[in-house]
Amino acid sequence: MQKIAIIIPCYNEENRLRESDILALISSTSATIFLANDGSNDGTLNLIQNISSSYPERVVVLDYKQNQGKAATIYKAVNQISKENSFDFISYFDADFSTPPSEIKRLLSEIEDLKYSFLIGSRILLLNSGIQRKFYRHIIGRVIITLINTRFKLGIYDTQCGAKIFSSQIVKEVFDKPFLTSWLFDVEIFIRMKKKDLLKTGREIPIYNWVDVDGSKLGFKSGFKIIKELFVLHTKY
């Protein structure tokens, strides 16, 4: 059985992170769950510490005092886990569990069964699927990926889905330096992978159930930041 780490970045998630979702992962997978606090200023740290104390062998708290954003938190957590532990795969999912535990379980089983180096979830609205996504977020996402694929030709339908699993070998290759962007750090990962001819070692698979949970930090104002980061990617890569 493969050893798998799940990172859940947490910034002010006191009202969205549910212990029941963590328990569902514990009961349905063998993964070790790392709750990474990104300098939250609400009750998030107390919440995740209480969860960890209830399941000390399966849930670990990574407490980063300074808020630096999801990209920096994922980067720090991945490298800390890689140095202190020996996992075959390291994954990350959003704290609101927009990708529900049942889908996370399926993705983890897929990575073990199919022997790919990485898997990424894709929110494709298929017949009878349970994808529930706000229209404006869908439009923003399609514009972003169209621009990205025009420039970098990644061939990925959904770079921004917060459901990703990478092998330890991939981690060594693409998490070797901090990201230049915050909103588009996932794209940076794939650009780095393409430059090292690693995209062919993985697979993008549809997620059957996904819910746009209220409280997301992405809105219309974020579009200006994303445009700026697209320019950064264009000039730096």
Side-chain angles (χ1 to χ4, degrees):
M1 180 178 293
Q2 305 279 15
K3 290 183 62 179
I4 301 176
I6 295 176
I7 299 170
I8 299 179
C10 304
Y11 174 65
N12 290 352
E13 299 290 355
E14 179 184 14
N15 296 321
R16 297 203 305 169
L17 180 64
R18 298 181 298 272
E19 183 174 352
S20 59
D21 287 324
I22 303 297
L23 181 57
L25 285 183
I26 292 174
S27 61
S28 63
T29 77
S30 61
T32 301
I33 302 165
F34 292 84
L35 302 176
N37 179 45
D38 178 27
S40 298
N41 54 30
D42 64 354
T44 296
L45 179 58
N46 184 61
L47 172 63
I48 62 178
Q49 286 176 334
N50 286 338
I51 295 174
S52 178
S53 66
S54 298
Y55 314 98
E57 295 183 357
R58 296 291 303 281
V59 182
V60 179
V61 171
L62 304 177
D63 183 21
Y64 303 121
K65 300 297 184 182
Q66 182 180 357
N67 172 241
Q68 292 186 299
K70 180 180 177 181
T73 299
I74 292 293
Y75 172 78
K76 290 185 293 185
V78 166
N79 280 278
Q80 180 177 345
I81 292 168
S82 298
K83 291 177 181 178
E84 298 177 357
N85 304 271
S86 177
F87 286 99
D88 299 299
F89 292 92
I90 297 179
S91 61
Y92 59 85
F93 300 89
D94 292 334
D96 60 8
F97 281 89
S98 49
T99 303
S102 59
E103 286 294 275
I104 295 176
K105 175 186 176 182
R106 183 174 66 86
L107 291 175
L108 296 184
S109 64
E110 292 256 7
I111 195 69
E112 291 194 76
D113 294 342
L114 299 178
K115 307 303 180 184
Y116 285 104
S117 293
F118 71 92
L119 281 184
I120 58 176
S122 186
R123 297 163 294 183
I124 303 174
L125 188 58
L126 302 171
L127 178 65
N128 298 321
S129 68
I131 303 297
Q132 302 176 38
R133 195 177 186 189
K134 292 182 176 65
F135 180 71
Y136 78 88
R137 293 194 67 181
H138 173 72
I139 294 301
I140 291 175
R142 296 322 304 156
V143 170
I144 291 172
I145 195 59
T146 298
L147 293 173
I148 288 169
N149 278 326
T150 298
R151 169 66 176 82
F152 296 104
K153 296 178 174 58
L154 299 177
I156 298 173
Y157 178 84
D158 188 1
T159 59
Q160 303 309 107
C161 180
K164 296 180 172 68
I165 309 171
F166 300 101
S167 69
S168 58
Q169 291 80 8
I170 294 289
V171 165
K172 291 177 183 177
E173 293 287 342
V174 301
F175 287 84
D176 56 333
K177 55 187 176 182
F179 301 113
L180 302 177
T181 60
S182 55
W183 289 100
L184 300 180
F185 78 96
D186 297 284
V187 177
E188 277 195 74
I189 290 174
F190 298 128
I191 293 174
R192 293 177 184 184
M193 291 176 68
K194 182 177 181 181
K195 288 182 174 293
K196 296 186 178 184
D197 199 28
L198 294 172
L199 282 181
K200 63 184 180 183
T201 66
R203 185 181 176 191
E204 181 177 17
I205 63 175
I207 288 180
Y208 299 142
N209 293 288
W210 190 92
V211 179
D212 220 336
V213 180
D214 289 338
S216 170
K217 300 169 181 67
L218 176 65
F220 282 111
K221 292 183 179 179
S222 307
F224 297 102
K225 297 179 181 178
I226 292 172
I227 291 173
K228 180 179 179 180
E229 292 192 358
L230 284 170
F231 180 75
V232 170
L233 293 177
H234 176 74
T235 56
K236 299 298 183 179
Y237 287 98

